[in-house]
Amino acid sequence: MQEVQRLASAVVLRVLAGRSLDSEMAVLRRDHPGLSAQQRAAVQDLCFGTLRFLGHLDAVLEALLDKPLRDARLASLLRVALYQLEFTKAAQHAIVDQAVRACERLGPASAKGLVNAVLRNFLRRRPQLIAQARHSDVGRFSYPQWWVDKARRQYPRHYIAMLDAGNLRPPLTLRVNRRRTTMAGYLAQLEASGVAARAIGEAAVLLDQPRPVADIPGFAEGLVSVQDAAAQCAAPLLDLRPGLAVLDACAAPGGKTAHMLELADIDLTALDSDGARLARVRANLTRLKLTAHVVCGDACDPGSWWGGRTFDRILADVPCSASGVVRRHPDIKWLRRAADIAQFARTQARMLDALWQLLASGGKLLYATCSVFHEENQLQVDQFLERHRDARRLILPRVETNPQQPAGQILPDERHDGFFYALVQKN
Ligand SMILES: C[S@@+](CC[C@H](N)C(=O)[O-])C[C@H]1O[C@@H](n2cnc3c(N)ncnc32)[C@H](O)[C@@H]1O
């Protein structure tokens, strides 16, 4: 456990210095090839959990210290150990003992005494410390204060459920490839393999227990893909028919690209500005035996890649704050700054304006974000409609999970990531 704690606290430290959790997990795999799959999973679990509840853990830690810790590595180790003590079932004495040993490699001998004292003190005063930490917004919700304030302002009736949903462990949802199998056929295959699951949508299957893709029946053969239920709403909204020219303007890693191709024989261009991520689009298409024109280019600058033929449908699944998917990426809560939201909104507006020129008359553009913030969603669309008098917003029949939300807004809940969709048609 000591090595796992030490590695996890190093990852958390680097994330708090600005690195993404995904890239740090990749570095861990590269630099520690000797770790067993179980150890790697344990490190991952500690990193995700610590970042998920970081605001709370920091409030607890602050109450346990006379003055703030100057050694960031020590603080990171204590956060990880506190996460284990409060949120996991590991034996308490082992957590404390191993954290003290892990600290031996970090600093002066006095640090060992401090780690021991802080963790034992937590165990003695646990209920009081937890209650006290929950008095502040950051300690209660484990999001930065600006995020809680914005959520409260924009969703006065739902922000608590929304923020709490962002701290859940995400479910594993599959999309059944209806070109290759049927929902009933695939559910029967899962049952025969002893995998408990249920259908939660036309093509969406929720597994009772998440598992690695290598252990998902039919995954390698292309019968299913991993895709959240809210993300699965995109492709059916585009009313796809054989022969339509479709642009997926921000395609990587290709989840929605593949879904569109599974629904109809369309002529699809999959564009993304990130060449490395486009490799994942190609890999997904190969696994699913689908084809598209895969293009590396900037959606804000079509002149550099566009051949001049207009598209009947455009999916603009734009880069955004990703504030709707923090349960899958808890580092986002601590890496984003309040000012980032306006910056994302400016880029999204530029992208929408550029893409609008590529849409055929009568064609439809689906704007999508995995954000919950109005600036990137309904305000963005309202401003777009002001700028483009030839655009008309269409009513979305199926995505509203809660009629009290603004149109097209799906808030994160047990089954869905937070997503936003707006469909506009060109006159
Ligand atoms: C939300 S992700 C897309 C997810 C994808 N649609 C899916 O369902 O798998 C946003 C993508 O936009 C890409 N992107 C960012 N800026 C871009 C630009 N200016 N032009 C094209 N793609 C861009 C990013 O590389 C990223 O892959």
Side-chain angles (χ1 to χ4, degrees):
M1 183 194 290
Q2 185 194 135
E3 179 71 349
V4 167
Q5 283 175 328
R6 203 179 57 74
L7 290 171
S9 64
V11 168
V12 169
L13 189 61
R14 285 196 294 273
V15 167
L16 296 181
R19 309 265 314 173
S20 87
L21 185 51
D22 278 353
S23 67
E24 283 305 311
M25 294 321 296
V27 169
L28 183 82
R29 278 192 294 277
R30 187 195 66 200
D31 292 352
H32 299 275
L35 286 181
S36 67
Q38 201 185 8
Q39 283 172 315
R40 252 204 328 269
V43 174
Q44 177 163 326
D45 202 55
L46 291 192
C47 294
F48 273 72
T50 303
L51 290 165
R52 201 164 268 145
F53 296 109
L54 187 74
H56 175 77
L57 297 169
D58 275 354
V60 169
L61 186 57
E62 193 186 321
L64 284 162
L65 294 168
D66 295 333
K67 53 182 186 321
L69 275 179
R70 287 225 297 272
D71 186 331
R73 292 176 310 167
L74 207 54
S76 194
L77 178 64
L78 281 169
R79 286 166 171 140
V80 168
L82 284 171
Y83 166 72
Q84 287 181 290
L85 288 176
E86 187 173 342
F87 294 98
T88 74
K89 295 195 176 83
Q92 294 179 346
H93 62 89
I95 296 169
V96 178
D97 183 53
Q98 296 295 304
V100 171
R101 283 167 197 265
C103 149
E104 274 172 11
R105 292 170 62 178
L106 288 185
S110 59
K112 275 170 56 178
L114 178 82
V115 168
N116 192 38
V118 164
L119 297 181
R120 289 195 188 283
N121 207 351
F122 171 75
L123 290 175
R124 267 195 303 276
R125 297 167 51 207
R126 181 186 175 120
Q128 175 213 337
L129 286 162
I130 291 174
Q132 189 182 330
R134 290 169 67 90
H135 283 154
S136 73
D137 281 342
V138 178
R140 157 69 181 87
F141 294 110
S142 277
Y143 291 75
Q145 187 66 50
W146 68 265
W147 191 310
V148 179
D149 291 343
K150 191 188 273 292
R152 186 182 278 130
R153 216 169 37 244
Q154 298 193 345
Y155 298 97
R157 294 178 58 188
H158 299 99
Y159 76 97
I160 294 177
M162 178 176 97
L163 295 176
D164 284 345
N167 287 337
L168 296 173
R169 284 171 183 258
L172 194 138
T173 309
L174 303 177
R175 182 189 75 239
V176 174
N177 179 358
R178 282 173 296 166
R179 277 186 189 261
R180 307 281 305 282
T181 183
T182 59
M183 176 63 92
Y186 186 66
L187 287 175
Q189 185 172 346
L190 285 180
E191 194 177 352
S193 310
V195 178
R198 66 214 125 109
I200 58 164
E202 267 176 47
V205 174
L206 186 71
L207 296 193
D208 283 7
Q209 288 296 327
R211 50 173 55 214
V213 287
D215 298 340
I216 296 173
F219 180 85
E221 298 79 41
L223 299 191
V224 286
S225 298
V226 174
Q227 191 178 42
D228 183 78
Q232 291 190 36
C233 294
L237 291 172
L238 276 161
D239 170 31
L240 297 168
R241 294 189 301 274
L244 289 185
V246 181
L247 172 66
D248 188 354
C250 297
K256 300 183 190 73
T257 313
H259 194 190
M260 288 192 278
L261 288 164
E262 286 167 12
L263 292 184
D265 291 319
I266 51 174
D267 179 7
L268 185 98
T269 301
L271 177 82
D272 204 281
S273 57
D274 185 329
R277 283 171 64 83
L278 274 177
R280 296 175 59 193
V281 177
R282 290 195 186 89
N284 270 322
L285 293 177
T286 304
R287 181 179 61 84
L288 295 162
K289 300 184 177 60
L290 299 167
T291 44
H293 314 284
V294 178
V295 178
C296 190
D298 181 353
C300 297
D301 179 24
S304 60
W305 56 268
W306 184 47
R309 191 177 137 221
T310 53
F311 296 98
D312 303 304
R313 301 284 184 270
I314 296 179
L315 171 60
D317 189 14
V318 296
C320 69
S321 63
S323 49
V325 292
V326 293
R327 59 185 183 168
R328 299 187 191 280
H329 304 282
D331 52 328
I332 284 173
K333 296 192 289 182
W334 314 108
L335 295 176
R336 290 277 176 269
R337 299 286 169 259
D340 294 345
I341 309 306
Q343 182 57 42
F344 277 117
R346 278 192 289 277
T347 305
Q348 291 154 359
R350 267 198 315 128
M351 200 174 273
L352 274 173
D353 288 350
L355 292 172
W356 191 244
Q357 310 310 315
L358 316 186
L359 188 66
S361 176
K364 294 176 187 173
L365 180 149
L366 182 65
Y367 176 74
T369 74
C370 54
S371 170
V372 292
F373 293 140
H374 292 350
E375 296 87 335
E376 302 176 89
N377 296 345
Q378 40 279 352
L379 290 177
Q380 180 73 267
V381 174
D382 289 348
Q383 289 160 7
F384 175 83
L385 294 172
E386 282 288 315
R387 291 196 301 279
H388 297 274
R389 292 304 172 156
D390 57 346
R392 186 165 58 96
R393 188 169 180 181
L394 303 178
I395 290 170
L396 295 181
R398 286 182 297 186
V399 305
E400 276 79 17
T401 53
N402 185 333
Q404 290 159 335
Q405 298 316 323
Q409 184 69 63
I410 301 174
L411 290 185
D413 59 24
E414 278 178 20
R415 287 187 173 185
H416 300 88
D417 285 346
F419 255 86
F420 174 80
Y421 292 111
L423 188 64
V424 281
Q425 185 163 32
K426 199 170 197 173
N427 291 333

mmCIF file of all heavy atoms in Angstrom, residues 371-393:
data_model
loop_
_atom_site.group_PDB
_atom_site.id
_atom_site.type_symbol
_atom_site.label_atom_id
_atom_site.label_comp_id
_atom_site.label_asym_id
_atom_site.label_seq_id
_atom_site.Cartn_x
_atom_site.Cartn_y
_atom_site.Cartn_z
ATOM 1 N N SER A 371 -20.988 20.630 -21.228
ATOM 2 C CA SER A 371 -20.918 21.656 -20.186
ATOM 3 C C SER A 371 -22.310 21.872 -19.593
ATOM 4 O O SER A 371 -23.320 21.602 -20.233
ATOM 5 C CB SER A 371 -20.417 22.971 -20.791
ATOM 6 O OG SER A 371 -20.560 24.020 -19.855
ATOM 7 N N VAL A 372 -22.316 22.402 -18.366
ATOM 8 C CA VAL A 372 -23.605 22.771 -17.764
ATOM 9 C C VAL A 372 -23.746 24.292 -17.663
ATOM 10 O O VAL A 372 -24.775 24.784 -17.214
ATOM 11 C CB VAL A 372 -23.751 22.163 -16.343
ATOM 12 C CG1 VAL A 372 -23.872 20.655 -16.423
ATOM 13 C CG2 VAL A 372 -22.598 22.566 -15.425
ATOM 14 N N PHE A 373 -22.717 25.037 -18.066
ATOM 15 C CA PHE A 373 -22.759 26.481 -17.861
ATOM 16 C C PHE A 373 -23.470 27.205 -19.016
ATOM 17 O O PHE A 373 -23.206 26.950 -20.187
ATOM 18 C CB PHE A 373 -21.347 27.033 -17.673
ATOM 19 C CG PHE A 373 -20.692 26.552 -16.398
ATOM 20 C CD1 PHE A 373 -19.348 26.199 -16.373
ATOM 21 C CD2 PHE A 373 -21.422 26.449 -15.219
ATOM 22 C CE1 PHE A 373 -18.745 25.753 -15.207
ATOM 23 C CE2 PHE A 373 -20.827 26.005 -14.036
ATOM 24 C CZ PHE A 373 -19.488 25.655 -14.031
ATOM 25 N N HIS A 374 -24.361 28.135 -18.652
ATOM 26 C CA HIS A 374 -25.200 28.809 -19.644
ATOM 27 C C HIS A 374 -24.390 29.535 -20.725
ATOM 28 O O HIS A 374 -24.815 29.610 -21.876
ATOM 29 C CB HIS A 374 -26.099 29.842 -18.955
ATOM 30 C CG HIS A 374 -27.152 29.239 -18.070
ATOM 31 N ND1 HIS A 374 -27.423 27.900 -18.053
ATOM 32 C CD2 HIS A 374 -28.005 29.809 -17.173
ATOM 33 C CE1 HIS A 374 -28.400 27.658 -17.188
ATOM 34 N NE2 HIS A 374 -28.763 28.798 -16.639
ATOM 35 N N GLU A 375 -23.216 30.106 -20.332
ATOM 36 C CA GLU A 375 -22.435 30.889 -21.293
ATOM 37 C C GLU A 375 -22.049 30.059 -22.519
ATOM 38 O O GLU A 375 -21.924 30.570 -23.624
ATOM 39 C CB GLU A 375 -21.141 31.403 -20.654
ATOM 40 C CG GLU A 375 -21.330 32.380 -19.513
ATOM 41 C CD GLU A 375 -21.513 31.691 -18.176
ATOM 42 O OE1 GLU A 375 -21.964 30.520 -18.129
ATOM 43 O OE2 GLU A 375 -21.228 32.333 -17.155
ATOM 44 N N GLU A 376 -21.822 28.761 -22.288
ATOM 45 C CA GLU A 376 -21.410 27.883 -23.382
ATOM 46 C C GLU A 376 -22.623 27.246 -24.070
ATOM 47 O O GLU A 376 -22.452 26.601 -25.113
ATOM 48 C CB GLU A 376 -20.517 26.769 -22.846
ATOM 49 C CG GLU A 376 -19.273 27.276 -22.146
ATOM 50 C CD GLU A 376 -18.471 26.136 -21.562
ATOM 51 O OE1 GLU A 376 -17.616 25.606 -22.266
ATOM 52 O OE2 GLU A 376 -18.736 25.773 -20.390
ATOM 53 N N ASN A 377 -23.775 27.386 -23.470
ATOM 54 C CA ASN A 377 -24.940 26.639 -23.931
ATOM 55 C C ASN A 377 -26.041 27.566 -24.439
ATOM 56 O O ASN A 377 -25.925 28.110 -25.525
ATOM 57 C CB ASN A 377 -25.426 25.711 -22.810
ATOM 58 C CG ASN A 377 -24.366 24.657 -22.461
ATOM 59 O OD1 ASN A 377 -23.429 24.468 -23.232
ATOM 60 N ND2 ASN A 377 -24.508 23.991 -21.355
ATOM 61 N N GLN A 378 -27.090 27.774 -23.612
ATOM 62 C CA GLN A 378 -28.205 28.538 -24.184
ATOM 63 C C GLN A 378 -27.837 29.974 -24.532
ATOM 64 O O GLN A 378 -28.328 30.511 -25.532
ATOM 65 C CB GLN A 378 -29.478 28.503 -23.319
ATOM 66 C CG GLN A 378 -29.286 28.595 -21.850
ATOM 67 C CD GLN A 378 -28.899 27.248 -21.275
ATOM 68 O OE1 GLN A 378 -28.932 26.244 -21.978
ATOM 69 N NE2 GLN A 378 -28.503 27.223 -20.018
ATOM 70 N N LEU A 379 -26.969 30.623 -23.736
ATOM 71 C CA LEU A 379 -26.576 31.994 -24.085
ATOM 72 C C LEU A 379 -25.809 32.003 -25.403
ATOM 73 O O LEU A 379 -25.995 32.887 -26.248
ATOM 74 C CB LEU A 379 -25.697 32.605 -22.975
ATOM 75 C CG LEU A 379 -26.404 32.917 -21.663
ATOM 76 C CD1 LEU A 379 -25.423 33.434 -20.622
ATOM 77 C CD2 LEU A 379 -27.526 33.929 -21.892
ATOM 78 N N GLN A 380 -24.963 31.005 -25.585
ATOM 79 C CA GLN A 380 -24.203 30.880 -26.831
ATOM 80 C C GLN A 380 -25.167 30.777 -28.027
ATOM 81 O O GLN A 380 -24.982 31.454 -29.040
ATOM 82 C CB GLN A 380 -23.336 29.612 -26.746
ATOM 83 C CG GLN A 380 -22.500 29.333 -27.946
ATOM 84 C CD GLN A 380 -21.333 30.307 -28.038
ATOM 85 O OE1 GLN A 380 -21.451 31.335 -28.691
ATOM 86 N NE2 GLN A 380 -20.238 30.016 -27.371
ATOM 87 N N VAL A 381 -26.172 29.931 -27.873
ATOM 88 C CA VAL A 381 -27.103 29.706 -28.986
ATOM 89 C C VAL A 381 -27.968 30.954 -29.219
ATOM 90 O O VAL A 381 -28.195 31.352 -30.368
ATOM 91 C CB VAL A 381 -27.967 28.457 -28.712
ATOM 92 C CG1 VAL A 381 -29.046 28.291 -29.769
ATOM 93 C CG2 VAL A 381 -27.077 27.225 -28.679
ATOM 94 N N ASP A 382 -28.398 31.593 -28.140
ATOM 95 C CA ASP A 382 -29.185 32.828 -28.303
ATOM 96 C C ASP A 382 -28.391 33.860 -29.098
ATOM 97 O O ASP A 382 -28.919 34.513 -30.009
ATOM 98 C CB ASP A 382 -29.530 33.424 -26.927
ATOM 99 C CG ASP A 382 -30.562 32.585 -26.189
ATOM 100 O OD1 ASP A 382 -31.160 31.690 -26.832
ATOM 101 O OD2 ASP A 382 -30.742 32.795 -24.967
ATOM 102 N N GLN A 383 -27.110 34.004 -28.742
ATOM 103 C CA GLN A 383 -26.281 35.006 -29.441
ATOM 104 C C GLN A 383 -26.037 34.593 -30.891
ATOM 105 O O GLN A 383 -26.015 35.441 -31.790
ATOM 106 C CB GLN A 383 -24.948 35.184 -28.701
ATOM 107 C CG GLN A 383 -25.130 35.912 -27.375
ATOM 108 C CD GLN A 383 -23.976 35.688 -26.402
ATOM 109 O OE1 GLN A 383 -22.965 35.089 -26.759
ATOM 110 N NE2 GLN A 383 -24.143 36.167 -25.181
ATOM 111 N N PHE A 384 -25.899 33.305 -31.125
ATOM 112 C CA PHE A 384 -25.725 32.819 -32.501
ATOM 113 C C PHE A 384 -26.957 33.168 -33.344
ATOM 114 O O PHE A 384 -26.850 33.654 -34.475
ATOM 115 C CB PHE A 384 -25.486 31.304 -32.484
ATOM 116 C CG PHE A 384 -25.415 30.693 -33.848
ATOM 117 C CD1 PHE A 384 -24.236 30.719 -34.578
ATOM 118 C CD2 PHE A 384 -26.535 30.106 -34.431
ATOM 119 C CE1 PHE A 384 -24.165 30.181 -35.859
ATOM 120 C CE2 PHE A 384 -26.477 29.564 -35.696
ATOM 121 C CZ PHE A 384 -25.288 29.594 -36.414
ATOM 122 N N LEU A 385 -28.131 32.943 -32.761
ATOM 123 C CA LEU A 385 -29.373 33.211 -33.510
ATOM 124 C C LEU A 385 -29.528 34.712 -33.787
ATOM 125 O O LEU A 385 -30.083 35.106 -34.814
ATOM 126 C CB LEU A 385 -30.580 32.676 -32.731
ATOM 127 C CG LEU A 385 -30.622 31.145 -32.587
ATOM 128 C CD1 LEU A 385 -31.742 30.715 -31.646
ATOM 129 C CD2 LEU A 385 -30.778 30.461 -33.948
ATOM 130 N N GLU A 386 -29.014 35.536 -32.871
ATOM 131 C CA GLU A 386 -29.025 36.992 -33.103
ATOM 132 C C GLU A 386 -28.139 37.353 -34.298
ATOM 133 O O GLU A 386 -28.481 38.213 -35.092
ATOM 134 C CB GLU A 386 -28.460 37.716 -31.860
ATOM 135 C CG GLU A 386 -29.429 37.820 -30.707
ATOM 136 C CD GLU A 386 -30.524 38.818 -31.028
ATOM 137 O OE1 GLU A 386 -30.202 39.909 -31.530
ATOM 138 O OE2 GLU A 386 -31.704 38.486 -30.805
ATOM 139 N N ARG A 387 -26.997 36.690 -34.392
ATOM 140 C CA ARG A 387 -26.037 37.026 -35.466
ATOM 141 C C ARG A 387 -26.451 36.464 -36.820
ATOM 142 O O ARG A 387 -26.065 36.973 -37.851
ATOM 143 C CB ARG A 387 -24.640 36.462 -35.128
ATOM 144 C CG ARG A 387 -23.928 37.111 -33.964
ATOM 145 C CD ARG A 387 -22.438 36.760 -33.960
ATOM 146 N NE ARG A 387 -22.140 35.338 -33.873
ATOM 147 C CZ ARG A 387 -22.137 34.629 -32.763
ATOM 148 N NH1 ARG A 387 -22.429 35.215 -31.611
ATOM 149 N NH2 ARG A 387 -21.862 33.339 -32.760
ATOM 150 N N HIS A 388 -27.234 35.356 -36.798
ATOM 151 C CA HIS A 388 -27.539 34.664 -38.062
ATOM 152 C C HIS A 388 -29.048 34.596 -38.254
ATOM 153 O O HIS A 388 -29.712 33.690 -37.743
ATOM 154 C CB HIS A 388 -26.933 33.250 -38.054
ATOM 155 C CG HIS A 388 -25.441 33.272 -37.979
ATOM 156 N ND1 HIS A 388 -24.637 33.385 -39.081
ATOM 157 C CD2 HIS A 388 -24.611 33.248 -36.920
ATOM 158 C CE1 HIS A 388 -23.366 33.411 -38.708
ATOM 159 N NE2 HIS A 388 -23.325 33.329 -37.391
ATOM 160 N N ARG A 389 -29.568 35.537 -39.007
ATOM 161 C CA ARG A 389 -31.012 35.613 -39.196
ATOM 162 C C ARG A 389 -31.525 34.484 -40.093
ATOM 163 O O ARG A 389 -32.738 34.280 -40.189
ATOM 164 C CB ARG A 389 -31.383 36.986 -39.779
ATOM 165 C CG ARG A 389 -31.144 38.118 -38.780
ATOM 166 C CD ARG A 389 -31.915 37.810 -37.514
ATOM 167 N NE ARG A 389 -31.594 38.730 -36.441
ATOM 168 C CZ ARG A 389 -32.410 38.988 -35.439
ATOM 169 N NH1 ARG A 389 -33.588 38.402 -35.358
ATOM 170 N NH2 ARG A 389 -32.046 39.802 -34.480
ATOM 171 N N ASP A 390 -30.621 33.772 -40.753
ATOM 172 C CA ASP A 390 -31.040 32.641 -41.590
ATOM 173 C C ASP A 390 -31.038 31.329 -40.784
ATOM 174 O O ASP A 390 -31.125 30.242 -41.352
ATOM 175 C CB ASP A 390 -30.132 32.495 -42.825
ATOM 176 C CG ASP A 390 -28.660 32.338 -42.462
ATOM 177 O OD1 ASP A 390 -28.304 32.601 -41.297
ATOM 178 O OD2 ASP A 390 -27.874 31.934 -43.345
ATOM 179 N N ALA A 391 -30.935 31.435 -39.455
ATOM 180 C CA ALA A 391 -30.914 30.232 -38.612
ATOM 181 C C ALA A 391 -32.192 30.150 -37.783
ATOM 182 O O ALA A 391 -32.682 31.166 -37.274
ATOM 183 C CB ALA A 391 -29.711 30.272 -37.687
ATOM 184 N N ARG A 392 -32.695 28.932 -37.660
ATOM 185 C CA ARG A 392 -33.943 28.712 -36.905
ATOM 186 C C ARG A 392 -33.694 27.548 -35.944
ATOM 187 O O ARG A 392 -33.199 26.487 -36.363
ATOM 188 C CB ARG A 392 -35.029 28.328 -37.906
ATOM 189 C CG ARG A 392 -36.415 28.184 -37.376
ATOM 190 C CD ARG A 392 -37.370 28.171 -38.575
ATOM 191 N NE ARG A 392 -37.065 27.106 -39.522
ATOM 192 C CZ ARG A 392 -37.673 25.912 -39.538
ATOM 193 N NH1 ARG A 392 -38.610 25.640 -38.658
ATOM 194 N NH2 ARG A 392 -37.347 24.993 -40.435
ATOM 195 N N ARG A 393 -34.008 27.761 -34.663
ATOM 196 C CA ARG A 393 -33.768 26.678 -33.700
ATOM 197 C C ARG A 393 -34.928 25.695 -33.740
ATOM 198 O O ARG A 393 -36.093 26.088 -33.685
ATOM 199 C CB ARG A 393 -33.601 27.260 -32.294
ATOM 200 C CG ARG A 393 -33.165 26.235 -31.279
ATOM 201 C CD ARG A 393 -32.754 26.860 -29.962
ATOM 202 N NE ARG A 393 -32.344 25.832 -29.015
ATOM 203 C CZ ARG A 393 -31.964 26.075 -27.789
ATOM 204 N NH1 ARG A 393 -31.916 27.323 -27.341
ATOM 205 N NH2 ARG A 393 -31.625 25.086 -26.976
#
